[in-house]
């Protein structure tokens, strides 16, 4: 149980273009999903908390206009990297907890490796 | 002070020995604690969750929690080369917005 699917697993795009990453909970409903970013040899950094039916909550230093998050249903959250630049190249990982209770652990998607040329 | 602290390593342990990974956290009211394993280029996978003081065992893994001292540890018995990975400690912080905070991870290397 608690399977999280993320797509695509990797993407290469040119500077200035936008990239959309999808995160789906396959066997449970996720009112909250989390988006992380990880640079090589560094830890996971929480970017934002995606809330179904409402605005995402962004961590300090994360540009909400650059990283657009949409959580339109209980099983799907999307992250769009707008006007991507080479410094946005990173490993993006979504996660959700397996439903109630709130303290249950996070389960991660397989991640999306973004390369901006 | 970081919310969740781990020694970055690398920690080198001979095959068959016990690997001991430690983590401290700053939010005293945290209630949920997790250990994740992450192989290079992959996303983290859950190894253990622990919610109350004491030890919790699952196969070769034992998680230990001491809320008074604000530390959580992971023991891996009979270490195997396949255990070589980065181990992330995670804490569910509830004092403000509930969210899971990760430590920077400890790189573990099991030498044959």
């Amino acid at each position: 149980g608690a399977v999280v699917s993320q797509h695509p697993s990797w993407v290469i795009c040119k500077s200035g273009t936008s990239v959309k990453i999808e995160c789906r909970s396959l066997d449970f409903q996720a009112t909250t999903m989390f988006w992380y970013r990880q640079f090589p040899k560094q830890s996971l950094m929480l970017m934002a908390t995606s809330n179904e039916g409402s605005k995402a909550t962004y961590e300090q230093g994360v540009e909400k206009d650059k990283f657009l998050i949409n959580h339109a249903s209980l099983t799907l959250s999307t992250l769009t990297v707008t006007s991507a630049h080479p410094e946005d190249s990173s490993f993006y990982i979504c996660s959700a907890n397996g439903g109630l209770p709130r303290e249950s652990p996070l389960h991660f998607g397989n991640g999306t490796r973004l390369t901006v040329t | 002070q970081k919310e969740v602290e781990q020694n970055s390593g690398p920690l080198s342990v001979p095959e068959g020995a016990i690997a001991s990974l430690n983590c401290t956290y700053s939010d005293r009211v945290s209630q949920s604690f997790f250990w994740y394993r992450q192989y290079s280029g992959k996303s983290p996978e859950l190894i253990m969750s622990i919610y109350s003081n004491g030890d919790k065992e699952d196969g070769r893994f034992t998680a230990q929690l001491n809320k008074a001292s604000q530390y959580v540890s992971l023991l891996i018995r009979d270490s195997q080369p396949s255990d070589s990975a980065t181990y992330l400690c995670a804490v569910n912080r509830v004092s403000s917005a509930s969210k899971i905070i990760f430590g920077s991870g400890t790189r573990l290397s099991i030498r044959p």
Side-chain angles (χ1 to χ4, degrees), chain B residues 47-62:
Chain B
I47 298 295
M48 294 282 284
S49 350
I50 186 166
Y51 303 96
S52 55
N53 279 328
D55 295 1
K56 178 181 178 183
E57 186 175 318
D58 183 1
R60 296 187 295 113
F61 300 96
T62 299

Side-chain angles (χ1 to χ4, degrees), chain A residues 1-4 27-28 98 107:
Chain A
V3 177
V4 177
D27 54 358
F28 65 100
H107 296 274

Side-chain angles (χ1 to χ4, degrees), chain A residues 18-85:
Chain A
S18 296
V19 174
K20 180 185 284 188
I21 302 170
E22 292 187 349
C23 180
R24 296 180 184 273
S25 56
L26 297 186
D27 54 358
F28 65 100
Q29 293 183 332
T31 55
T32 303
M33 291 184 176
F34 304 90
W35 287 95
Y36 290 85
R37 178 169 56 183
Q38 187 176 37
F39 292 107
K41 298 188 186 300
Q42 296 187 24
S43 187
L44 294 167
M45 295 302 297
L46 179 64
M47 298 176 65
T49 302
S50 172
N51 304 298
E52 187 270 334
S54 65
K55 292 182 179 180
T57 304
Y58 290 83
E59 294 300 299
Q60 190 173 9
V62 178
E63 300 175 56
K64 61 180 180 181
D65 294 331
K66 180 171 183 62
F67 299 100
L68 301 179
I69 291 173
N70 184 282
H71 195 155
S73 77
L74 287 171
T75 59
L76 174 64
S77 174
T78 61
L79 168 68
T80 301
V81 183
T82 63
S83 186
H85 291 283

Side-chain angles (χ1 to χ4, degrees), chain B residues 68-94:
Chain B
S69 300
Q70 294 176 237
Y71 85 78
V72 57
S73 62
L74 179 70
L75 301 178
I76 307 175
R77 290 182 298 280
D78 188 24
S79 297
Q80 303 296 310
S82 59
D83 295 327
S84 297
T86 296
Y87 288 80
L88 302 170
C89 172
V91 175
N92 189 346
R93 188 188 73 192
V94 296

